[in-house]
């Protein structure tokens, strides 16, 4: 039986700060209008001074379209109670006006946040038993339980799927911007157009017990669908939407076990152990690449290696990182 090393006691949640290292801005190619700073998470132009914010975002039908998912640098899809999924969205290089719908924290979050320095953590609440672990974790709590500034409810959706946050207010609540700086992140390798070998695919479907997402390659990027419907994201309060897309999809097979926590209905919260090694897939440039991932500690992003042991370079742009318990849940054509 797996040990549960990260939740035995409150001090076990606190982990060391991710190793620091300045990542200088990369100039644009010769002849372009002006140089830009490139985010280590996407290799896209962004605002270097923005502190990192991690937001827990709802991922059920009633919560869609979520707000500004295309502004997130990385989106992690976690399994929660009942086989549903929830999003762990990392915002740094862009500053959308609104994000959400914001939902509650889970134990798996505490193994994910240290890979992004000591970020601001936006969430609506948590199980009472999880509170001490959140307070001891490597993050800056800027959620509703800490006062609620920056959060409000919209009228066109039912609670709890209508809780939205204002990014400017959340960033203003971060007490230590340097600790939440992007320079505290150990970046993974990214290139404008990496060359990799793999299986050419048109569509890849990933299933959880009560959730499904599909990724269709359109020749430039991965277009997403959820529950057999195109996945859209709302860009403003007046209802404007756009398709959700990504440059890379990472599918991590991780060991799951029941945690000591549950939701308000008594359903047990699953814990996914994302530290160590395991199998998975990398979807990039219309290819599905069988991979092995390595994540030595919670301060590291997972690194991905092909069947020959060569590290896989990701494509410039947004990345979605999916955590599943079985690669048998992945199908493709």
């Amino acid at each position: 039986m797996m040990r549960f090393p990260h939740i035995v006691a409150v001090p076990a949640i606190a982990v060391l700060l991710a190793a620091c290292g300045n990542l200088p801005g990369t100039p644009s190619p010769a002849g372009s209008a002006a140089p830009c700073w490139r985010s280590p998470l996407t290799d896209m132009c962004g605002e270097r001074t923005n502190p990192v914010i991690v937001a827990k975002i709802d991922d059920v039908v009633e919560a869609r379209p979520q707000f500004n998912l295309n502004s997130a640098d990385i989106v992690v899809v976690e399994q929660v109670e009942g086989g549903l999924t929830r999003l762990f969205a990392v915002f740094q290089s862009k500053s959308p006006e609104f994000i959400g719908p914001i939902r509650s924290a889970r134990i798996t979050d505490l193994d994910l946040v240290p890979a992004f320095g000591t970020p601001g953590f936006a969430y609506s609440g948590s199980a009472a038993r999880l509170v001490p672990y959140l307070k001891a974790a490597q993050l800056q709590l800027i959620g509703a339980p800490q006062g609620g500034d920056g959060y409000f409810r919209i009228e066109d959706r039912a609670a709890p799927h209508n809780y939205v946050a204002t990014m400017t207010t959340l960033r203003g609540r971060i007490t230590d911007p340097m600790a939440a700086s992007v320079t505290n992140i150990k970046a993974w390798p990214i290139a404008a157009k990496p060359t990799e070998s793999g299986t050419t695919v048109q569509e890849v479907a990933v299933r959880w017990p009560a959730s499904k997402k599909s990724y269709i390659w359109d020749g430039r990027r991965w277009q997403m669908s959820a529950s057999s419907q195109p996945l859209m994201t709302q860009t403003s309060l007046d209802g404007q939407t756009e398709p959700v897309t990504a440059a890379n999809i990472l599918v991590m097979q991780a060991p799951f076990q029941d945690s000591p926590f549950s939701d308000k209905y008594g359903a047990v919260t699953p814990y996914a152990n994302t530290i160590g090694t395991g199998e998975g897939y990398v979807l990039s440039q219309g290819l599905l690449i069988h991979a092995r991932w390595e994540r030595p500690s919670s301060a590291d992003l997972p690194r991905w290696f092909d069947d020959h042991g060569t590290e896989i370079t990701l494509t410039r742009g947004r990345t979605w990182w999916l955590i599943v318990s079985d690669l048998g849940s992945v199908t493709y054509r």
Side-chain angles (χ1 to χ4, degrees), residues 23 114 215 229 237 286:
L23 294 165
Y215 304 88
Q229 297 294 323
L237 292 181

Side-chain angles (χ1 to χ4, degrees), residues 299-314:
D300 299 287
L301 287 168
R303 311 303 281 251
W304 301 79
F305 300 86
D306 66 19
D307 290 338
H308 302 289
T310 302
E311 185 166 9
I312 298 170
T313 300
L314 303 185

Side-chain angles (χ1 to χ4, degrees), residues 202 215-223 245 286:
Q202 294 177 317
Y215 304 88
I216 299 172
W217 178 249
D218 69 3
R220 296 186 306 118
R221 55 193 179 177
W222 298 99
Q223 300 268 0
T245 63

Side-chain angles (χ1 to χ4, degrees), residues 8 25 29 72 75 79 83 86 109 139 141 146-147 166 177-178 249 257 302:
V8 172
V75 178
Q79 182 176 321
R86 189 158 293 178
D109 301 336
L139 46 79
L141 298 176
Q146 288 75 49
T166 305
M178 286 303 298
I249 311 296
Q257 67 184 95

Side-chain angles (χ1 to χ4, degrees), residues 57-61 63-64 66 69 77-78 84-87 101 103 211 213 226 231 320:
I57 294 181
D58 209 345
D59 193 35
V60 296
V61 172
R64 300 179 186 134
Q66 297 102 325
L69 289 182
V77 182
E78 309 173 292
L84 295 169
T85 52
R86 189 158 293 178
L87 307 182
R103 292 299 302 272
S211 181
K213 287 184 170 55
L231 185 59
W320 279 53

Side-chain angles (χ1 to χ4, degrees), residues 27-233:
S28 298
S32 61
C36 76
W37 174 81
R38 293 190 180 276
S39 166
L41 298 178
T42 63
D43 199 39
M44 301 288 285
C45 294
E47 295 293 332
R48 181 173 185 167
T49 56
N50 288 342
V52 181
I53 284 182
V54 170
K56 291 308 301 293
I57 294 181
D58 209 345
D59 193 35
V60 296
V61 172
E62 295 83 356
R64 300 179 186 134
Q66 297 102 325
F67 285 88
N68 288 305
L69 289 182
N70 284 341
S71 293
D73 298 304
I74 296 174
V75 178
V76 185
V77 182
E78 309 173 292
Q79 182 176 321
V80 293
E81 301 81 16
L84 295 169
T85 52
R86 189 158 293 178
L87 307 182
F88 174 107
V90 182
F91 296 88
Q92 191 280 321
S93 60
K94 295 184 179 180
S95 294
E97 189 173 3
F98 305 108
I99 58 175
I102 303 296
R103 292 299 302 272
S104 53
R106 292 295 184 272
I107 185 60
T108 298
D109 301 336
L110 304 188
D111 279 347
L112 299 175
V113 288
F116 305 100
T118 307
F121 189 63
Y123 69 114
S124 63
S126 72
R129 292 180 61 193
L130 186 59
V131 171
Y133 299 94
L134 286 167
K135 291 181 177 179
Q138 185 175 312
L139 46 79
Q140 300 185 57
L141 298 176
I142 54 172
Q146 288 75 49
D149 289 350
Y151 298 89
F152 63 98
R153 294 197 183 275
I154 55 177
E155 297 180 352
D156 60 352
R157 306 185 197 187
H161 315 292
N162 62 348
Y163 204 42
V164 177
T166 305
M167 178 64 80
T168 301
T169 305
L170 293 184
R171 284 204 162 117
R173 289 178 58 189
I174 292 177
T175 57
D176 188 350
M178 286 303 298
S181 170
V182 73
T183 59
N184 295 327
I185 297 172
K186 299 177 182 178
W188 42 29
I190 305 173
K193 198 168 185 179
T195 55
E196 304 287 357
S197 60
T199 302
T200 300
V201 293
Q202 294 177 317
E203 181 177 6
V204 177
V206 182
R207 291 175 173 81
W208 293 264
S211 181
K212 174 188 175 183
K213 287 184 170 55
S214 296
Y215 304 88
I216 299 172
W217 178 249
D218 69 3
R220 296 186 306 118
R221 55 193 179 177
W222 298 99
Q223 300 268 0
M224 302 187 198
S225 67
S227 302
S228 302
Q229 297 294 323
L231 185 59
M232 307 295 288
T233 186

Side-chain angles (χ1 to χ4, degrees), residues 217-273:
W217 178 249
D218 69 3
R220 296 186 306 118
R221 55 193 179 177
W222 298 99
Q223 300 268 0
M224 302 187 198
S225 67
S227 302
S228 302
Q229 297 294 323
L231 185 59
M232 307 295 288
T233 186
Q234 191 165 329
T235 57
S236 65
L237 292 181
D238 60 12
Q240 296 182 26
T241 61
E242 64 185 21
V244 179
T245 63
N248 308 287
I249 311 296
L250 309 177
V251 185
M252 170 187 279
Q253 178 178 270
F256 277 62
Q257 67 184 95
D258 290 345
S259 79
F261 306 98
S262 61
D263 66 12
K264 63 182 180 181
Y265 302 108
V268 174
T269 303
Y271 166 78
N273 185 1

